[in-house]
Coordinates of all heavy atoms in Angstrom, one line a residue:
S228 N -15.3 1.7 6.0 CA -16.6 2.3 5.6 C -16.4 3.9 5.4 O -15.4 4.5 5.8 CB -17.6 2.1 6.8 OG -17.2 3.0 7.9
Q230 N -18.0 6.1 6.8 CA -17.9 6.7 8.1 C -16.5 6.7 8.8 O -16.2 7.5 9.6 CB -18.8 6.1 9.1 CG -20.4 6.3 8.8 CD -21.3 5.8 9.9 OE1 -20.8 5.4 10.9 NE2 -22.5 5.5 9.4
G231 N -15.8 5.8 8.3 CA -14.3 5.6 8.7 C -13.6 6.8 8.3 O -12.6 7.2 9.1
A234 N -14.3 9.4 10.9 CA -13.6 9.1 12.3 C -12.2 9.4 12.1 O -11.6 9.9 13.2 CB -13.8 7.5 12.5
R237 N -11.7 13.1 12.7 CA -11.9 13.5 14.1 C -10.6 13.1 14.9 O -10.1 13.9 15.7 CB -13.1 12.8 14.7 CG -13.4 13.1 16.1 CD -14.8 13.1 16.4 NE -15.6 12.0 16.0 CZ -16.4 11.4 16.7 NH1 -16.7 11.7 17.8 NH2 -17.0 10.2 16.1
G238 N -10.1 12.0 14.6 CA -8.9 11.4 15.3 C -7.7 12.3 15.0 O -7.0 12.7 16.0
F241 N -7.7 15.4 17.2 CA -7.2 15.2 18.6 C -5.7 14.9 18.6 O -5.0 15.4 19.5 CB -7.9 14.0 19.3 CG -9.3 14.4 19.7 CD1 -10.4 13.9 19.0 CD2 -9.5 15.1 20.8 CE1 -11.7 14.1 19.4 CE2 -10.8 15.4 21.2 CZ -11.9 15.0 20.5
N275 N -11.6 -3.5 13.1 CA -12.7 -2.9 12.3 C -12.1 -2.4 10.9 O -10.8 -2.5 10.7 CB -13.5 -1.8 13.0 CG -12.6 -0.6 13.4 OD1 -11.6 -0.3 12.8 ND2 -13.1 0.2 14.3
G276 N -12.8 -1.5 10.2 CA -12.4 -1.2 8.9 C -11.3 -0.2 8.9 O -10.4 -0.1 8.1
N277 N -11.2 0.7 10.0 CA -10.1 1.7 10.1 C -8.8 1.0 10.5 O -7.8 1.3 10.0 CB -10.5 2.7 11.2 CG -11.4 3.8 10.5 OD1 -12.5 3.3 10.0 ND2 -11.2 5.0 10.6
L281 N -5.2 0.8 8.6 CA -4.1 1.6 9.1 C -2.9 0.6 9.6 O -1.7 1.0 9.4 CB -4.5 2.4 10.2 CG -5.5 3.6 9.8 CD1 -5.9 4.4 11.1 CD2 -4.7 4.6 8.9
L301 N -17.4 -5.4 13.2 CA -17.7 -4.2 12.5 C -18.9 -3.5 13.1 O -19.9 -4.2 13.5 CB -18.0 -4.5 11.0 CG -16.7 -5.0 10.3 CD1 -17.1 -5.2 8.7 CD2 -15.5 -4.2 10.4
F302 N -18.8 -2.2 13.1 CA -20.0 -1.4 13.5 C -20.9 -1.4 12.3 O -22.2 -1.7 12.5 CB -19.5 0.0 13.7 CG -20.6 1.0 14.0 CD1 -21.2 0.9 15.4 CD2 -21.1 1.9 13.1 CE1 -22.2 1.8 15.7 CE2 -22.1 2.7 13.6 CZ -22.7 2.7 14.8
N303 N -20.6 -1.2 11.1 CA -21.4 -1.4 9.8 C -21.1 -2.6 9.2 O -20.4 -2.7 8.3 CB -21.1 -0.2 8.9 CG -21.3 1.1 9.5 OD1 -22.4 1.4 9.9 ND2 -20.3 1.9 9.7
R308 N -17.7 -6.8 3.5 CA -16.6 -6.1 4.2 C -15.8 -7.1 5.2 O -14.6 -7.1 5.3 CB -17.1 -4.9 5.0 CG -17.2 -3.7 4.1 CD -17.7 -2.4 4.9 NE -16.5 -2.1 5.8 CZ -16.8 -1.6 7.0 NH1 -18.0 -1.5 7.6 NH2 -15.8 -1.2 7.8
L358 N -10.5 2.3 18.2 CA -11.4 3.1 17.5 C -12.8 2.6 17.5 O -13.5 2.4 16.5 CB -10.9 3.2 16.0 CG -9.7 4.0 15.7 CD1 -8.4 3.6 16.4 CD2 -9.5 4.1 14.2
E359 N -13.3 2.3 18.7 CA -14.6 1.7 18.8 C -15.7 2.7 19.0 O -15.5 3.7 19.6 CB -14.5 0.7 19.9 CG -15.8 -0.2 20.1 CD -16.2 -1.0 18.9 OE1 -17.0 -0.4 18.1 OE2 -15.7 -2.1 18.7
D360 N -17.0 2.4 18.6 CA -18.1 3.1 19.0 C -18.4 2.9 20.4 O -18.3 1.8 21.0 CB -19.2 2.7 18.0 CG -20.5 2.7 18.6 OD1 -21.1 3.8 18.8 OD2 -21.0 1.6 19.0
D378 N -7.9 5.0 21.5 CA -8.8 6.1 21.0 C -8.1 7.5 21.4 O -7.8 7.7 22.4 CB -10.2 6.0 21.7 CG -11.3 7.0 21.0 OD1 -11.0 8.0 20.6 OD2 -12.4 6.4 20.9
L379 N -8.1 8.3 20.3 CA -7.4 9.6 20.5 C -8.3 10.6 21.3 O -7.7 11.6 21.7 CB -7.0 10.3 19.2 CG -5.7 9.7 18.5 CD1 -5.6 9.9 17.1 CD2 -4.5 10.2 19.2
N380 N -9.5 10.3 21.5 CA -10.4 11.2 22.3 C -10.5 10.7 23.6 O -11.3 9.7 23.9 CB -11.8 11.3 21.5 CG -12.7 12.2 22.3 OD1 -12.3 12.8 23.3 ND2 -14.0 12.2 21.8
D395 N -3.8 7.6 22.1 CA -2.7 7.6 21.2 C -3.2 7.3 19.9 O -4.2 6.5 19.7 CB -1.6 6.7 21.8 CG -0.1 7.1 21.1 OD1 -0.1 8.1 20.4 OD2 0.8 6.3 21.4
N396 N -2.4 7.6 18.8 CA -2.7 7.3 17.5 C -2.5 5.8 17.3 O -1.3 5.3 17.8 CB -1.8 8.0 16.5 CG -2.4 7.9 15.1 OD1 -2.9 6.8 14.6 ND2 -2.5 9.0 14.4
I397 N -3.4 5.0 16.8 CA -3.2 3.6 16.6 C -1.9 3.3 15.9 O -1.4 2.2 16.0 CB -4.4 2.9 15.9 CG1 -4.4 1.4 16.0 CG2 -4.6 3.4 14.4 CD1 -5.6 0.7 15.7
Ligands
LIG1037 O1 -15.4 -0.4 10.3 P1 -16.6 -0.3 11.2 O2 -17.9 -0.5 10.4 O3 -16.6 -1.0 12.4 O4 -16.8 1.3 11.6 C1 -15.6 1.9 12.3 C2 -15.9 3.3 12.8 C3 -14.5 3.9 13.2 C4 -16.4 4.1 11.6 C5 -16.9 3.3 13.9 O5 -16.5 2.5 14.9 C6 -17.2 4.7 14.4 O6 -18.1 5.4 14.0 O7 -16.4 5.2 15.4 P2 -16.5 6.6 16.1 O8 -17.6 6.6 17.0 O9 -16.3 7.7 15.0 O10 -15.2 6.5 17.0 C7 -13.9 6.4 16.4 C8 -12.9 7.1 17.5 O11 -11.6 6.7 17.1 C9 -13.1 8.6 17.6 O12 -13.1 8.9 19.0 C10 -11.7 9.0 17.0 O13 -11.2 10.2 17.7 C11 -10.8 7.9 17.2 N1 -9.8 7.7 16.2 C12 -10.0 8.1 14.9 N2 -8.7 7.8 14.3 C13 -7.8 7.3 15.1 C14 -8.5 7.2 16.4 N3 -8.0 6.8 17.5 C15 -6.7 6.4 17.4 N4 -5.9 6.3 16.3 C16 -6.5 6.9 15.1 N5 -5.7 6.9 13.9

Side-chain angles (χ1 to χ4, degrees):
S228 72
Q230 286 187 21
R237 184 147 46 138
F241 284 108
N275 67 17
N277 286 53
L281 291 176
L301 299 182
F302 181 76
N303 301 297
R308 281 184 67 222
L358 284 62
E359 185 57 271
D360 143 78
D378 194 318
L379 280 159
N380 178 5
D395 198 6
N396 195 316
I397 191 167

